[in-house]
Amino acid sequence: MSTQHTLVTAATLFGCDPARLAQQSVLALLDAPDPQDPADVIAGTLRSTPVDLWARRALRRVQTRQGAWVLSLGTAHGMLRLRPDGPETWQVLQVRRATAPVLLGDTLPLAYAQGLAEDYARHLGVARLVEAEAPWRQQPATEKQTALLRKLGLAVRSDLTKGEATDLLAAVVGDW
């Protein structure tokens, strides 16, 4: 609880009565202000900008061809796979080589599943490894990476980075 700050709501931002806002949306108030209440008349233009919250995440996830999302955790920890388990719900699984997948959560909304995966990666101490801007991602791809990509039938550019190769491999392996 904060003793210095109060919660900013749409009513406080737009200077309108909270009880009135509960009856209609902010857009409706802006479109049809109460002419009897001078405080209700708001001058200006309401602007909005789409924000892709997924793209702004600090950790790098890759979407597979089948629509799952994977987060590579390095060889010791495998990967986290987010896959649909219903029309609007997702499972979060930790998948490692030679062991059964571990279910970390199911029937979760996508945003909650994403948060669970990120928190788990941080809990394992591998967040630095999976940061989208990690310096290692800009280094040239290794011979092992490019050989495996070719074996899987994927095209390999001469300037492929470790990060791009890791993403390509995660997208393919994440569907298995």
Side-chain angles (χ1 to χ4, degrees), residues 31-122:
D31 287 340
D34 182 355
Q36 305 301 324
D37 186 355
D40 239 9
V41 179
I42 300 171
T45 304
L46 178 63
R47 298 184 193 274
S48 67
T49 304
V51 176
D52 184 355
L53 297 176
W54 183 261
R56 295 186 187 274
R57 296 282 185 167
L59 304 185
R60 179 75 177 145
R61 289 191 197 82
V62 179
Q63 191 168 24
T64 70
R65 293 178 191 160
Q66 295 178 2
W69 290 93
V70 292
L71 179 62
S72 296
L73 303 175
T75 44
H77 300 289
M79 72 173 57
L80 296 177
R81 181 185 304 147
L82 285 71
R83 68 177 186 197
D85 68 350
E88 299 289 326
T89 59
W90 294 74
Q91 285 183 330
V92 180
L93 301 155
Q94 182 179 16
V95 181
R96 290 189 227 177
R97 195 181 314 171
T99 63
V102 176
L103 180 66
L104 301 175
D106 62 356
T107 63
L108 303 171
L110 181 57
Y112 193 92
Q114 293 166 346
L116 174 64
E118 281 191 3
D119 288 347
Y120 192 73
R122 287 185 182 97

